[in-house]
Amino acid sequence: MASPSSRLLLASSALRRLEAAHAGQPLMVRAGEAAARWAENLRIDDARPVLVLAGPGNNGGDAFVCATRLKQADIEVTLVSRADPARLSPDASAARQGWLDAGGAITNDIPANTPDTAGPAWGLIVDGLFGIGLARDLGAPYACWSAEARRLAERDRCPVLALDVPSGLDADTGRAWGGALRATHTLTFLADKPGLHTADGPDLGGEVRVADLGVAPTGDALAPASAHDLPPGRLLAPADFAPWLLPRDKNSHKGRHGNAGILGGAPGMVGAALLAGRAALFLGAGRTLVGIVDPQGPALDPAHPELMLRRGAALLGEPLSALAVGPGLGQSDDARVALAAALALPMPLVLDADALNLIAQDGDLARRTTTRAGATTTIITPHPAEAARLLATTTAAVQADRIAAARDLAARFNAHVALKGCGTVLAHPPGSATADPDGLPTAWAINPSGNPGMSTAGMGDLLTGIVTALLAQGWPPGPAVEAAVHLHGAAADALVAAGTGPVGLTAGETIPAARALLNRWIARRGRPEG
């Protein structure tokens, strides 16, 4: 069912070009048949009927084909649609007629409860209302159908299968329009969609599978048609950075694994710097040095005396291989001066938290960030509010199009960007595009690992430490930030799978889980588990 390029993420514009390039093929029939095959497996009870919701466009055509195939397999189907036959595309019209020819009936509303009956108990609900073309709130009657489908799915404890994307989900951005339908499973066609993996997409789409419909996503369809057209992206996986998952030589010493520096820890926020330092220590830096800004801060980390603590900006005089500035830094004048000095250092630099807030406030710091010497590397890891400050916009605007915001930040600051959140978005400076496993060029990526347990203090500091550790060990910046983001989420997932969290998951306990997982990846060189 999944294509070799199932990790490729295509925007709606590219998908339309791909459809047009294969217009002579029966794509709707293939989509409906693929949906019916999965639907048969998802149905929870052979005695229960399937409810199919068919919309007024080609997504509705897919639903008609799916319903027809299920009926031909002797599965009871109730199909609900108010599509105007005269306004359907030729393919969707043919799919509707095929349903009628198979003896199917069309009802204009979901069977309602009455005083005498609670209505049928459904074995599966299929959402074929709207696909990738919708860019507005669901209107009547579709918003009511969406709400009723959710109520019925909860009542009957049955799955909901969305065709292509859940109705009301923006396929490009992951924005949920009003009345959006919540699915437990999504079968998406031709190629995967970015909106299924960031913002509201993971909540609305559930488990996502790709049906390529026999179409290889290559050629002119993937080339952006204009400067405003979103180029292809990909879903992150260990295979993307496998070339850097190298075992260490037996003849090794700490000097070969770099010196990671962390600058932060203003009064009341020393823990942030220590968390980042501990993460760098656990993730393999040969030495980890932490510059504590708080003049009353500790001279020793009792839990991990391996950390080498320094007084604030004195850290910048050490022979560092990579430096992170920001965890608990504060926004004092001293912090501003230290950040300016760090920006001038010719080494890989990770900027997070208050370092980003200072840059957003100070045009000179912003200019210095953008114009750092060509031999250096800058990585920024903002959360949506920090990204909004850097872009002089609102958090809501960033969240409305996370991919555009990440790409804008990468271009504006000439930096590698990890825009944190549900489905962290990775973007790289212009001219540094990476490739998916099939060699197709990709300009951005979305990380699928992680869980809600990561919505807790200190997780961002942990990510900063992981990135800095990999940079200190000589990883190139693109693979380093991608590996750190994916490892960060995957470690939290491993803890939840073992029964720790998601509620109450902490950054501190995620650090050793990340170390264990990195070593497992190195042993497997990025190959999938199992």
Side-chain angles (χ1 to χ4, degrees):
M1 181 177 293
S3 72
S5 297
S6 60
R7 288 202 289 116
L8 188 70
L9 300 173
L10 295 186
S12 299
S13 54
L15 289 161
R16 291 190 182 97
R17 291 193 298 272
L18 197 59
E19 287 177 343
H22 297 84
Q25 299 186 31
L27 300 182
M28 185 175 291
V29 172
R30 294 175 186 172
E33 290 176 342
R37 286 193 293 271
W38 199 14
E40 286 192 65
N41 292 327
L42 287 176
R43 193 168 58 123
I44 61 172
D45 187 330
D46 289 346
R48 292 189 184 186
V50 174
L51 175 64
V52 176
L53 307 177
N58 283 344
N59 197 246
D62 299 335
F64 276 114
V65 175
C66 175
T68 301
R69 297 298 182 265
L70 291 175
K71 184 174 180 58
Q72 291 169 340
D74 294 324
I75 295 172
E76 183 182 351
V77 178
T78 295
L79 188 142
V80 179
S81 179
R82 294 191 188 179
D84 182 353
R87 302 182 66 179
L88 291 174
S89 70
D91 286 345
S93 180
R96 179 180 183 276
Q97 189 59 49
W99 165 250
L100 295 173
D101 291 344
I106 299 174
T107 64
N108 66 2
D109 213 340
I110 297 174
N113 295 343
T114 71
D116 300 321
T117 177
W122 304 104
L124 172 69
I125 298 172
V126 177
D127 165 28
L129 294 176
F130 296 99
I132 63 174
L134 190 72
R136 55 175 172 78
D137 294 346
L138 270 65
Y142 305 112
C144 292
W145 290 358
S146 174
E148 181 67 355
R150 180 169 184 174
R151 186 189 71 81
L152 292 171
E154 291 175 352
R155 184 198 70 180
D156 300 335
R157 298 184 180 180
C158 73
V160 178
L161 172 62
L163 306 186
D164 212 14
V165 294
S167 296
L169 177 71
D170 190 305
D172 292 344
T173 67
R175 173 183 178 178
W177 294 96
L181 192 145
R182 183 181 290 256
T184 58
H185 302 76
T186 297
L187 183 63
T188 196
F189 304 128
L190 294 176
D192 210 342
K193 318 297 189 291
L196 288 167
H197 300 283
T198 193
D200 297 311
D203 283 323
L204 295 185
E207 179 187 346
V208 176
R209 294 187 183 182
V210 179
D212 63 19
L213 310 185
V215 171
T218 57
D220 294 340
L222 300 187
S226 71
H228 302 291
D229 204 3
L230 182 65
R234 60 191 157 83
L235 279 180
L236 284 183
D240 290 326
F241 40 85
W244 294 274
L245 293 169
L246 301 175
R248 293 184 173 183
D249 292 337
K250 292 183 174 63
N251 185 16
S252 185
H253 57 83
K254 64 179 181 288
R256 293 181 57 183
H257 307 301
N259 297 332
I262 308 291
L263 179 60
M269 297 182 287
V270 170
L274 292 180
L275 273 173
R278 292 172 183 177
L281 176 70
F282 272 58
L283 271 297
R287 298 194 307 164
T288 300
L289 300 90
V290 182
I292 302 294
V293 174
D294 184 355
Q296 304 301 317
L300 172 74
D301 178 4
H304 289 286
E306 303 93 339
L307 292 179
M308 305 172 68
L309 272 55
R310 299 290 185 266
R311 284 291 172 218
L315 172 72
L316 304 183
E318 298 284 351
L320 301 177
S321 309
L323 172 66
V325 182
L329 179 67
Q331 299 180 44
S332 66
D333 289 340
D334 287 345
R336 193 180 305 271
V337 170
L339 174 57
L343 290 169
L345 295 176
M347 68 179 65
L349 183 62
V350 183
L351 302 174
D352 184 34
D354 278 330
L356 301 178
N357 292 326
L358 288 169
I359 290 166
Q361 299 167 11
D362 189 316
D364 180 61
L365 290 177
R367 179 190 58 78
R368 293 184 187 209
T369 302
T370 303
T371 59
R372 293 187 73 219
T376 64
T377 292
T378 307
I379 293 174
I380 64 175
T381 58
H383 58 54
E386 291 162 348
R389 296 178 195 122
L390 290 168
L391 294 173
T393 186
T394 65
T395 302
V398 169
Q399 290 294 79
D401 195 340
R402 290 169 49 77
I403 298 169
R407 297 185 69 219
D408 191 358
L409 287 168
R412 187 172 301 195
F413 292 101
N414 191 32
H416 299 267
V417 176
L419 176 56
K420 295 181 287 196
C422 182
T424 292
V425 178
L426 287 300
H428 303 289
S432 61
T434 52
D436 87 329
D438 296 327
L440 300 174
T442 57
W444 50 273
I446 295 177
N447 176 51
S449 68
N451 60 73
M454 301 175 74
S455 302
T456 188
M459 282 293 182
D461 306 314
L462 168 55
L463 175 63
T464 295
I466 296 174
V467 180
T468 309
L470 297 181
L471 291 170
Q473 293 170 79
W475 281 56
V481 67
E482 291 188 353
V485 167
H486 193 66
L487 176 63
H488 185 215
D493 288 343
L495 286 172
V496 170
T500 301
V503 176
L505 185 66
T506 68
E509 63 194 341
T510 308
I511 294 172
R515 175 179 62 184
L517 188 55
L518 177 62
N519 279 285
R520 194 153 68 242
W521 284 354
I522 289 172
R524 298 185 60 83
R525 290 296 301 276
R527 295 189 302 275
E529 299 277 352

